[in-house]
Amino acid sequence: MRIFKFGGASVKDADGIKNVFSVLEKVGHEDTLLVISAMGKTTNALEVVIKNYFEKSNELHSSLQEVKKYHYQILMDLFEDEEHDVYFAVNSHFADLEYFIRSNKSPNYNFVYDQVVSYGEILSTTIVSYYFAQAGLKNNWIDVRNFIKTDNTYRDANVDWEKTQQLISKGIKKKSLNITQGFLGSDENNFTTTLGREGSDYTAAIFAYCLSAESVTIWKDVPGVLNADPRYFDNAVLLNQISYREAIELAFYGASVIHPKTLQPLQKKEIPLFVKSFVNPLLPGTSVSKGKDLEPQSPCFIVKKNQLLISLSSIDFSFIMEENISEIFALLHQYKIKVSLIQNSAISFSVCVEDKFGNFNELKSILAKKFKVAYNENVSLYTIRHFTKEAAEMVEKDKTVLLKQISRETMQVVTKE
């Protein structure tokens, strides 16, 4: 089987859904399983519903109506017959969502999040399945929650591989076109769970592993994986081939290539992953598989903006030892501050971090009791894999370099623009 994953951008409106149908006409749809995300920005819209559920009950109804309005507009654009069965199916899903919102008694934000946000994928796959059937493409709509079983770590669930393998092996019709949801699973009590960051890509990898699939293809609005983000770098180059190992390295440094948890099950069975364009589906795209690290061999640039460079030094000029570093990392973990780069000397310790949750000021007051604390806000962290002298000069040009670190294959530079 082949596993195809289509993200929210590919099904954001009626034209997008028609284009997905066109892609399947061009590349074939036999022995294929589609993993589809929520439409457009639906997940964001459902997050507003959840926020209003907990904080602004007077705005809850209107935020839910926005989600309905968006989906019903797509329905009207795709189905001329207002009596079509798809309307009954979509109405039924919204009724289930509203019933949950009315009847839920759990104060657990993460639990509520998973039960509500999951309707984005349920709705998108329902609409796509009915549209394909109307267009003459027979398909099986599958509720992924009956196949991917997890623990109850809501919002970042861990897969029970043994149960999942059994269910997928027995329950998937391999000679058909199957349509299912990305990002979702269910726990032992059949409550919905979600798989965390890049969950839909991970769903595709789970099915591929359990079905020993021929390949996984992630369809995007770009021609494949580029060696740099074209928003920040001119003349970005398409990478034809990346090894699993290199893709994991790039992801570790912050490239939005493929999340490592997606690659791990594929690597185990050496299932190739392709990143292709849903705009030009016949182009070869990028292959992530066993083989050369990179083809063509070229520097890869990753940039993280809005970083924070923190430098700690001992107040009494004593060495910063393992116990100090251990304590610092425990605090960074406690305050949910993600470390991107570390550099230390005898009496100082520097970290480039991402303060996503705005906790630095609180952390700073604790660190200041034991260390001198200096910091630079709004710095950029540039990482160059397979760096060259020319690549380094290009990144450093017209910038103030605050910190530089070089290893055999990788150069990292913290700069102030």
Side-chain angles (χ1 to χ4, degrees):
M1 288 192 78
R2 296 177 305 166
I3 313 296
F4 288 174
K5 181 258 174 171
F6 287 92
S10 64
V11 290
K12 67 182 179 181
D13 52 25
D15 286 342
I17 293 167
K18 289 173 182 176
N19 183 63
V20 171
F21 181 83
S22 169
V23 169
L24 295 180
E25 284 189 311
K26 289 172 183 169
V27 301
H29 47 75
E30 298 80 11
D31 307 338
T32 302
L33 184 141
L34 305 187
V35 173
I36 298 177
S37 301
M39 294 173 161
K41 302 292 183 185
T42 298
T43 301
N44 293 353
L46 286 167
E47 285 174 346
V48 173
V49 171
I50 297 160
K51 184 176 170 63
N52 290 339
Y53 172 80
F54 281 104
E55 297 174 14
K56 298 180 180 176
S57 56
N58 60 320
E59 295 179 24
L60 177 58
H61 177 74
S62 62
S63 57
L64 188 54
Q65 288 305 114
E66 284 298 311
V67 178
K68 283 185 167 186
K69 184 179 167 186
Y70 173 65
H71 285 85
Y72 283 122
Q73 182 59 59
I74 292 173
L75 284 178
M76 288 187 287
D77 292 341
L78 290 174
F79 302 92
E80 291 180 10
D81 179 7
E82 292 182 12
E83 302 295 315
H84 196 286
D85 287 348
V86 70
Y87 284 92
F88 174 81
V90 168
N91 288 341
S92 177
H93 291 317
F94 276 121
D96 289 345
L97 171 57
E98 288 170 326
Y99 176 76
F100 173 81
I101 289 170
R102 282 197 313 274
S103 62
N104 171 63
K105 299 290 189 292
S106 173
N108 182 337
Y109 179 90
N110 291 339
F111 170 78
V112 172
Y113 182 97
D114 281 5
Q115 309 321 301
V116 172
V117 83
S118 57
Y119 280 91
E121 279 72 18
I122 298 295
L123 289 162
S124 70
T125 52
T126 298
I127 293 169
V128 169
S129 175
Y130 273 98
Y131 174 73
F132 282 8
Q134 174 183 266
L137 186 52
K138 190 179 174 187
N139 63 86
N140 299 318
W141 183 88
I142 293 166
D143 190 333
V144 74
R145 296 170 295 185
N146 295 331
F147 292 90
I148 294 181
K149 304 304 285 187
T150 71
D151 65 7
N152 61 357
T153 309
Y154 299 109
R155 296 191 73 187
D156 196 15
N158 300 294
V159 174
D160 182 329
W161 283 94
E162 192 175 334
K163 284 183 186 172
T164 299
Q165 175 75 72
Q166 288 171 358
L167 291 165
I168 289 176
S169 298
K170 289 178 185 173
I172 300 298
K173 296 177 183 175
K174 293 188 178 179
K175 295 295 180 187
S176 309
L177 173 63
N178 300 280
I179 296 176
T180 197
Q181 306 78 37
F183 186 48
L184 311 181
S186 68
D187 64 17
E188 63 181 4
N189 295 312
N190 290 325
F191 287 115
T192 303
T193 56
T194 61
L195 302 177
R197 186 183 156 205
E198 304 297 337
S200 291
D201 290 358
Y202 188 34
T203 304
I206 293 166
F207 275 102
Y209 180 88
C210 293
L211 293 165
S212 296
E214 173 191 306
S215 64
V216 173
T217 304
I218 295 175
W219 296 94
K220 291 178 169 278
D221 56 359
V222 290
V225 178
L226 304 174
N227 75 326
D229 187 330
R231 291 175 299 174
Y232 304 120
F233 296 92
D234 296 330
N235 307 317
V237 175
L238 176 69
L239 300 172
N240 304 318
Q241 151 78 25
I242 312 175
S243 68
Y244 296 116
R245 180 186 176 87
E246 185 66 25
I248 289 171
E249 289 278 5
L250 291 169
F252 172 79
Y253 289 112
S256 56
V257 187
I258 310 294
H259 196 280
K261 72 179 181 185
T262 299
L263 290 166
Q264 283 151 3
L266 300 179
Q267 185 179 17
K268 280 181 188 172
K269 289 195 175 179
E270 296 188 2
I271 298 168
L273 181 146
F274 299 98
V275 180
K276 294 191 176 188
S277 165
F278 59 71
V279 180
N280 296 297
L282 298 179
L283 293 178
T286 301
S287 164
V288 181
S289 57
K290 192 178 179 183
K292 285 185 184 176
D293 273 356
L294 284 176
E295 168 59 43
Q297 188 72 35
S298 62
C300 293
F301 301 87
I302 302 142
V303 60
K304 286 182 171 182
K305 300 281 187 177
N306 302 314
Q307 302 287 292
L308 183 65
L309 181 63
I310 308 169
S311 297
L312 307 176
S313 54
S314 53
I315 293 169
D316 60 359
F317 290 97
S318 60
F319 291 158
I320 291 188
M321 303 296 285
E322 289 86 349
E323 64 191 82
N324 306 115
I325 294 171
S326 173
E327 183 184 0
I328 292 163
F329 268 95
L331 286 166
L332 290 164
H333 176 70
Q334 182 184 332
Y335 285 91
K336 297 181 178 177
I337 292 177
K338 187 176 184 298
V339 177
S340 303
L341 174 66
I342 309 157
Q343 193 173 84
N344 67 298
S345 68
I347 58 171
S348 70
F349 181 79
S350 296
V351 280
C352 185
V353 301
E354 195 170 328
D355 183 22
K356 188 177 177 182
F357 299 99
N359 294 332
F360 174 62
N361 284 335
E362 201 176 335
L363 172 63
K364 182 176 63 175
S365 62
I366 294 169
L367 290 171
K369 292 172 185 174
K370 287 197 174 183
F371 305 97
K372 292 178 185 173
V373 182
Y375 60 94
N376 296 85
E377 296 178 292
N378 295 320
V379 300
S380 297
L381 171 62
Y382 289 88
T383 302
I384 314 172
R385 285 281 294 163
H386 312 290
F387 67 94
T388 61
K389 183 185 174 191
E390 294 75 21
E393 287 172 353
M394 184 184 78
V395 162
E396 293 176 19
K397 188 180 178 186
D398 301 326
K399 301 181 186 77
T400 303
V401 175
L402 302 175
L403 186 151
K404 185 190 291 191
Q405 191 158 277
I406 298 174
S407 64
R408 191 172 296 170
E409 289 283 352
T410 306
M411 174 177 175
Q412 292 189 282
V413 186
V414 179
T415 69
K416 193 79 177 169
E417 304 291 328

